[in-house]
Amino acid sequence: LGVLFILKNINEWIVRRNFSPGFKKSLIIVFSTFFFSISLLPFLTFYRLADLSKNDLAYRYGKSAISQLDKNAVVIIDNPNLYFILSALRYGEGYRKDIAVLDRGLLRAEWNCQQERRNYPELFSDLPSGLMGEDMFLTLMSKSLSRNFPVYMEYTERDSELVNFLTPAGHLFRFAKRISTKLSPELLKNQRGFENSFYSQREDKIFQRDVDALRMFVYITYRWGLYYEQRGMFKDALRNFSSALELDPLNPELQVRVETLKNRIQLAKN
């Protein structure tokens, strides 16, 4: 609109001048071309950054999070982005509709608890009607395990008391009935391979231009780091925190964690 306003005023100025018709026409063409070109500059400059037509990162992330889960698994997410991605995959594409996906944060809301009771009546059949929030989360986990449902969850900052009940399963962690003080070499090998594959996304040009994907990468690797740190697996924790720090180099918490772990590992060597 601004360009059209300017062209309108220029055209009125040209008409008032005592120019020949041919010269007037040439001036109008020149000014129109010039200002039209200027209006295209933002499009030409930012189109590549704004074009998401080939960005399937969320699709791939969601599929990789649940593709290997056991049949009829109960999955408790603590990440709204992943929750909505999985909802789109399951309801939009019918992918892995055998699993139940719940958002841990939304379990604090009564409307969500009522909705999930309708979605998964078998899971909620004997749970007290007033349960919400963390009480609902813990009760749902234990009840699901007692019924032999595979249970997976995202690890968070407040889950240190559960850490020895959890084993890595890609993006998620599988919850067990008994404490596991040591992870098997085969499981660790598979998990490290999965994490290395995830790290390789940093070389993806689309990934590098997607601010939300960069933020999610830091978020995911930070939580992996927390899990390993609280397990006492400091080298694995350092690897994940360092990967997060590469993409968020000014994050003071990551800086402290990386430096602390480096010193801790060095002291153990000495």
Side-chain angles (χ1 to χ4, degrees):
L1 290 177
V3 169
L4 291 175
F5 176 77
I6 293 171
L7 285 174
K8 177 177 177 294
N9 282 277
I10 290 174
N11 182 62
E12 291 173 353
W13 177 80
I14 291 173
V15 168
R16 290 197 300 268
R17 298 297 169 183
N18 191 26
F19 298 136
S20 65
F23 186 64
K24 286 182 180 181
K25 185 176 180 180
S26 297
L27 280 177
I28 290 171
I29 291 172
V30 168
F31 279 113
S32 297
T33 303
F34 174 73
F35 282 105
F36 181 71
S37 299
I38 288 177
S39 69
L40 282 178
L41 280 177
F43 172 80
L44 296 173
T45 303
F46 298 108
Y47 174 78
R48 187 177 63 87
L49 296 175
D51 179 21
L52 299 178
S53 62
K54 297 181 180 178
N55 188 337
D56 64 346
L57 291 171
Y59 180 84
R60 284 188 277 143
Y61 168 41
K63 276 206 162 183
S64 67
I66 60 175
S67 61
Q68 301 300 317
L69 302 187
D70 291 331
K71 188 174 178 59
N72 298 322
V74 176
V75 182
I76 301 179
I77 301 300
D78 194 61
N79 172 353
N81 289 320
L82 181 55
Y83 177 72
F84 290 119
I85 290 170
L86 297 184
S87 297
L89 282 173
R90 295 173 63 250
Y91 297 114
E93 300 199 358
Y95 183 72
R96 291 306 308 262
K97 292 203 74 174
D98 60 293
I99 66 176
V101 179
L102 302 103
D103 186 286
R104 184 174 176 179
L106 289 178
L107 290 176
R108 293 192 293 265
E110 183 179 356
W111 66 265
N112 180 257
C113 292
Q114 292 175 355
Q115 176 179 291
E116 300 300 12
R117 286 177 184 274
R118 291 192 296 270
N119 290 340
Y120 310 111
E122 186 179 359
L123 290 180
F124 289 85
S125 60
D126 59 350
L127 269 63
S129 58
L131 274 182
M132 289 192 301
E134 287 298 286
D135 290 337
M136 171 68 87
F137 162 70
L138 293 170
T139 304
L140 187 60
M141 294 264 283
S142 61
K143 290 284 187 181
S144 298
L145 282 176
S146 68
R147 295 172 183 167
N148 295 318
F149 284 108
V151 178
Y152 298 86
M153 62 176 281
E154 282 191 289
Y155 190 74
T156 73
E157 294 84 345
R158 59 188 183 276
D159 292 325
S160 58
E161 293 183 2
L162 301 177
V163 70
N164 289 321
F165 289 94
L166 299 170
T167 55
H171 286 296
L172 305 174
F173 294 83
R174 182 162 183 170
F175 196 78
K177 294 179 180 179
R178 299 180 184 85
I179 286 177
S180 172
T181 55
K182 189 174 182 181
L183 303 178
S184 73
E186 183 180 0
L187 185 148
L188 281 174
K189 180 182 177 182
N190 291 338
Q191 181 64 21
R192 287 164 182 160
F194 181 90
E195 291 171 12
N196 288 333
S197 175
F198 184 69
Y199 300 154
S200 68
Q201 291 186 79
R202 290 176 297 185
E203 308 305 319
D204 188 319
K205 298 297 182 184
I206 294 175
F207 175 82
Q208 293 170 5
R209 298 198 303 267
D210 190 329
V211 176
D212 288 328
L214 293 171
R215 185 167 57 246
M216 283 302 299
F217 181 96
V218 173
Y219 186 73
I220 293 165
T221 51
Y222 171 77
R223 284 186 163 180
W224 280 338
L226 277 181
Y227 170 81
Y228 288 123
E229 183 180 44
Q230 290 172 357
R231 271 271 189 177
M233 302 168 66
F234 301 127
K235 289 183 179 179
D236 289 288
L238 178 60
R239 174 167 49 82
N240 279 286
F241 286 139
S242 297
S243 293
L245 187 61
E246 285 181 23
L247 293 182
D248 192 7
L250 300 181
N251 187 309
E253 182 181 351
L254 285 172
Q255 291 172 351
V256 170
R257 286 186 180 277
V258 166
E259 194 60 34
T260 300
L261 283 169
K262 283 181 178 178
N263 293 335
R264 197 165 192 169
I265 292 169
Q266 188 60 45
L267 283 172
K269 286 181 180 178
N270 297 336

